[in-house]
Amino acid sequence: MNKYETVCIVRPDVAEDAVKGIIQKTTASLESAGGTVARVDEWGRRKLAYPIQKKNEGYYFVLDYTSSPEGSKEVERLLRLNEDVLRYQTIRVIETKKAQTAAAAQAAAAAAAAAAAATAAAQAQAAAPAAPATAEAKTEGGQANG
């Protein structure tokens, strides 16, 4: 299983329900092929960098998913056959050891910060009751002497 990301641009004159149908059809295809969809990010209508089929705008969406190579090819086949799709591109996301190490370091730093905050809170709580007790002892000591 590999991680993939597919960006798709749909014609701007297509109804939003039809765009939702395209997204639903591709996610259903992935799930039937044994893949899992991690995230569907709809960017909405945006201006294109250059005209495509005499269109200056398009409806963008991004699919992040885990699938076999066959599942990814099926998604591309569905998008290629759909006349409402202007462009699509699929990339395989490769997690490098550097990225994995950075993620692990970030998680460790967050855990250390949480532990430090808990320790500081415990110390503050322990110091707070001790302060009045010493003040009382000084007062009592002062009364006993004087």
Side-chain angles (χ1 to χ4, degrees):
M1 294 294 230
N2 298 319
K3 289 186 177 184
Y4 294 97
E5 184 175 283
T6 299
V7 178
C8 183
I9 306 172
V10 180
R11 289 186 345 200
D13 55 348
V14 173
E16 201 165 321
D17 293 339
V19 174
K20 302 272 187 209
I22 292 170
I23 294 170
Q24 193 173 35
K25 190 173 183 179
T26 54
T27 56
S29 171
L30 277 169
E31 290 169 355
S32 69
T36 57
V37 177
R39 180 175 61 106
V40 178
D41 191 12
E42 295 183 43
W43 294 356
R45 286 178 66 145
R46 295 191 176 213
K47 185 174 167 75
L48 300 173
Y50 56 89
I52 302 173
Q53 298 177 3
K54 299 182 181 180
K55 305 280 191 266
N56 292 322
E57 289 185 337
Y59 191 95
Y60 286 74
F61 68 88
V62 180
L63 292 172
D64 288 335
Y65 56 94
T66 304
S67 174
S68 64
E70 293 79 23
S72 174
K73 288 179 183 178
E74 179 62 20
V75 166
E76 289 186 339
R77 187 186 75 79
L78 286 173
L79 294 174
R80 183 175 49 249
L81 293 176
N82 193 327
E83 293 177 0
D84 293 332
V85 174
L86 294 174
R87 292 277 192 279
Y88 65 89
Q89 183 172 11
T90 301
I91 61 167
R92 189 177 78 164
V93 179
I94 300 173
E95 289 190 30
T96 62
K97 288 187 179 188
K98 187 176 181 181
Q100 291 172 348
T101 305
Q106 187 177 16
T119 304
Q123 287 175 350
Q125 189 177 20
T134 55
E136 290 173 10
K138 286 180 183 177
T139 307
E140 290 175 12
Q143 290 174 352
N145 290 335

